Amino acid sequence: MEKVTYDPIGEIRSPFEEPSAVPVDPDEPSGAAGRVELDPEFEPGLDGLDGFSHVTILAHLHRSPADTLRAHPPFADGLEVGVFATASPNRPNPIAQTVVRLDSIEGTTLYVEGLDLLDGTPVLDLKPFAPKPSLLEELETGWIGEHLDQEY
Amino acid sequence: MEKVTYDPIGEIRSPFEEPSAVPVDPDEPSGAAGRVELDPEFEPGLDGLDGFSHVTILAHLHRSPADTLRAHPPFADGLEVGVFATASPNRPNPIAQTVVRLDSIEGTTLYVEGLDLLDGTPVLDLKPFAPKPSLLEELETGWIGEHLDQEY
């Protein structure tokens, strides 16, 4: 199949300089404040996003090796599963999908909370986070549900 | 910023041959059944995914022109907003993020329901759909909430 090529639309500014510093424990979600800095040309694309409390960031995990199909989730003792059953950054196409709280937008800078991305991470896309309630009513959460006290 | 290049991990098989056939009305979600066909080499990456009821597909919208920063959501009369405040397929990096019900997995074929992707769409990544309940409690949904009878 043909390769797919994207031009990043901007970059993450976060307090995390190294992969080991990025928070991974879902019981203690990152409160890290930071910024999504888009290129100025994309300003018309942000109109209306400020009405949403949360934004999904799709970003390219530029420091992930993408060299394995297996993962050991950090919060599940010894469990090994397939990468596609996890959010592990080390996956064939290392695209992060992360939801952050949107505090404000100034020009093409988004001020956000709850970042779990390295400083300098290239941003590919932004979308409003607005899941359908009907989805949540019928959710089963596989190995995550067995390893966490999450209620749905 | 450097370009980002990905090799698709597989392909969508859906009943939709043309963009005009793809369902877009969130009040009548697509019940379309179809398949995600991954390349056989990725089988070890699927281990554990069958415990989840819903899967997020990240896919490359290969027939989207990516030529605008504005969108007219089809279910909101005359409203025009920025593409990053929508899920419009026509966006700078046309990456779809769509959640489907996972019926079963056979080898590297996923049988799914609720597809809104064209037949032949290249697949970039799969992740389990497992949002945190705390996120949903504090959600504001911008222009979507104003144009739909959704409850959160």
Side-chain angles (χ1 to χ4, degrees):
Chain A
M1 229 173 308
E2 263 182 66
K3 285 179 191 291
V4 172
T5 300
Y6 296 125
D7 280 308
I9 59 173
E11 205 170 25
I12 295 294
R13 290 288 157 228
S14 91
F16 310 121
E17 301 283 345
E18 292 300 324
S20 60
V22 176
V24 291
D25 185 346
D27 285 334
E28 298 197 16
S30 160
R35 304 188 300 284
V36 182
E37 296 186 346
L38 297 195
D39 294 347
E41 69 187 273
F42 296 113
E43 184 156 6
L46 291 174
D47 182 25
L49 190 60
D50 59 357
F52 293 84
S53 58
H54 292 77
V55 175
T56 300
I57 302 171
L58 300 183
H60 175 63
L61 298 163
H62 61 311
R63 295 193 37 199
S64 284
D67 63 358
T68 176
L69 292 175
R70 310 291 293 176
H72 293 88
F75 51 88
D77 288 341
L79 183 71
E80 180 180 302
V81 290
V83 281
F84 300 128
T86 75
S88 169
N90 187 0
R91 54 203 306 120
N93 291 321
I95 305 176
Q97 176 202 35
T98 191
V99 179
V100 294
R101 168 165 272 280
L102 178 61
D103 288 335
S104 64
I105 302 178
E106 289 176 25
T108 51
T109 298
L110 284 68
Y111 292 84
V112 301
E113 278 175 75
L115 272 175
D116 57 358
L117 295 168
L118 285 174
D119 189 55
T121 301
V123 176
L124 300 176
D125 198 9
L126 299 175
K127 302 182 199 279
F129 180 66
K132 294 193 183 57
S134 61
L135 269 183
L136 299 164
E137 284 161 16
E138 45 174 332
L139 215 56
E140 291 159 29
T141 57
W143 66 267
I144 294 178
E146 292 162 18
H147 284 81
L148 287 178
D149 279 327
Q150 290 187 319
E151 289 175 17
Y152 290 92
Chain B
M1 228 173 309
E2 264 182 66
K3 285 179 188 293
V4 172
T5 300
Y6 296 124
D7 281 308
I9 58 173
E11 205 169 24
I12 296 293
R13 289 291 158 224
S14 91
F16 309 122
E17 301 283 344
E18 292 299 325
S20 61
V22 175
V24 292
D25 185 346
D27 285 335
E28 297 198 17
S30 160
R35 305 189 299 284
V36 183
E37 296 186 345
L38 297 195
D39 293 346
E41 68 188 276
F42 295 114
E43 185 157 5
L46 291 174
D47 182 25
L49 190 59
D50 59 357
F52 294 84
S53 58
H54 293 77
V55 175
T56 299
I57 302 171
L58 300 183
H60 175 62
L61 297 163
H62 60 311
R63 296 195 34 201
S64 284
D67 62 359
T68 177
L69 291 175
R70 309 291 294 176
H72 293 88
F75 50 89
D77 287 341
L79 183 71
E80 180 180 303
V81 290
V83 282
F84 299 129
T86 75
S88 169
N90 187 1
R91 53 202 307 121
N93 291 321
I95 305 175
Q97 176 202 35
T98 192
V99 178
V100 294
R101 169 166 270 279
L102 178 61
D103 288 336
S104 63
I105 302 178
E106 288 176 26
T108 51
T109 297
L110 284 68
Y111 292 85
V112 301
E113 279 175 76
L115 273 175
D116 58 358
L117 295 169
L118 285 174
D119 189 56
T121 300
V123 175
L124 299 175
D125 198 10
L126 299 175
K127 302 183 199 279
F129 179 66
K132 295 193 183 56
S134 61
L135 270 182
L136 299 165
E137 283 160 16
E138 44 175 332
L139 214 57
E140 291 159 29
T141 58
W143 66 267
I144 294 179
E146 292 162 18
H147 284 79
L148 286 179
D149 278 326
Q150 289 186 320
E151 289 175 18
Y152 290 93

